[in-house]
Amino acid sequence: MGIVHHTATMSPTKQELVESWLPTRSWAQGRHVTGKVAEYRFDDPAGEVGIETILWLTEDGTVLQTPLTYRAEPLAGAEGHLVGTTDHSVLGERWVYDGCGDPVWATALATAIATGGRQAQMFIEQDGQRVDVPPRMQVRGSGEEESAPEVGPVDAVADEGPVTTVRCGSLELDVARVVGTPLGEGPHLSGTVGDTGDTTVLAVLRRG
């Protein structure tokens, strides 16, 4: 469960950060973001790292998936995965990373897939009470394991067309950067946006 600072501002905004970063990504192929479709979050058990994946609509109708992590300090060795920094009006300076290069994101995603986990429930604080924020997107892992898998540090991140493969020790995570890209068989995270009922596979977990 995570709190949404609904009155907070960010400078630059998440969209501005992503827009400036996308031209450096081969899978974006010159596409330009026109707005946000939806987002889903996972909890960091340590409560230190914000984990959010945003789906963006582009001018040609494509939907791009960008996992992001938000940190209060730089992540050592992850300079190549830094999307940018931003000033949060409540939390202060934040370092924003491509989640595919962040081991906290990899652990959260692998755990959700393997155990049948869902997105974190978000809430706002209003008049001293917690008020749930209805999710704009539902996600769920396909697995039924009772415990989380062992996830090592991020060893490699490779883009192959519209798919990014993240290797963490004996585990691999395939992430559809372009939503709707076939990812093959295996335990997976699927998502449904809004009330459309359309479900798509967003990521697949593979074990070596």
Side-chain angles (χ1 to χ4, degrees):
M1 180 175 287
I3 186 171
V4 175
H5 300 282
H6 65 292
T7 61
T9 59
M10 294 176 64
S11 180
T13 65
K14 297 173 187 178
Q15 183 166 332
E16 288 169 341
L17 284 171
V18 169
E19 284 176 334
S20 65
W21 174 72
L22 282 179
T24 69
R25 306 295 98 186
S26 59
W27 43 266
Q29 299 181 353
R31 296 183 172 104
H32 300 284
V33 167
T34 59
K36 183 163 65 172
V37 176
E39 67 285 315
Y40 60 93
R41 296 192 181 211
F42 294 127
D43 284 330
D44 170 19
E48 296 293 329
V49 180
I51 309 169
E52 179 181 38
T53 297
I54 302 177
L55 273 59
W56 305 95
L57 182 66
T58 66
E59 58 188 1
D60 64 357
T62 300
V63 177
L64 301 179
Q65 179 175 208
T66 61
L68 301 171
T69 57
Y70 309 102
R71 289 175 168 267
E73 296 179 351
L75 174 60
E79 294 81 5
H81 304 291
L82 182 67
V83 175
T85 59
T86 185
D87 289 319
H88 191 286
S89 61
V90 175
L91 301 175
E93 188 171 14
R94 311 299 285 175
W95 280 257
V96 182
Y97 290 91
D98 174 17
C100 292
D102 193 319
V104 173
W105 166 87
T107 299
L109 176 59
T111 298
I113 292 174
T115 64
R118 296 178 180 269
Q119 75 278 355
Q121 175 61 52
M122 307 307 295
F123 66 91
I124 60 175
E125 290 186 345
Q126 194 171 62
D127 299 326
Q129 295 184 335
R130 291 184 174 184
V131 179
D132 288 346
V133 177
R136 294 204 299 172
M137 182 172 189
Q138 300 278 354
V139 300
R140 184 171 186 175
S142 65
E144 297 180 345
E145 298 178 21
E146 294 184 0
S147 59
E150 287 275 345
V151 181
V154 175
D155 298 320
V157 179
D159 294 327
E160 181 81 31
V163 177
T164 296
T165 298
V166 182
R167 189 172 72 243
C168 303
S170 62
L171 298 183
E172 283 190 353
L173 292 161
D174 286 345
V175 179
R177 295 292 200 168
V178 175
V179 175
T181 299
L183 294 176
E185 300 297 322
H188 58 270
L189 184 80
S190 58
T192 304
V193 180
D195 299 323
T196 64
D198 295 331
T199 300
T200 186
V201 174
L202 301 166
V204 170
L205 172 67
R206 308 187 194 282
R207 289 180 165 92

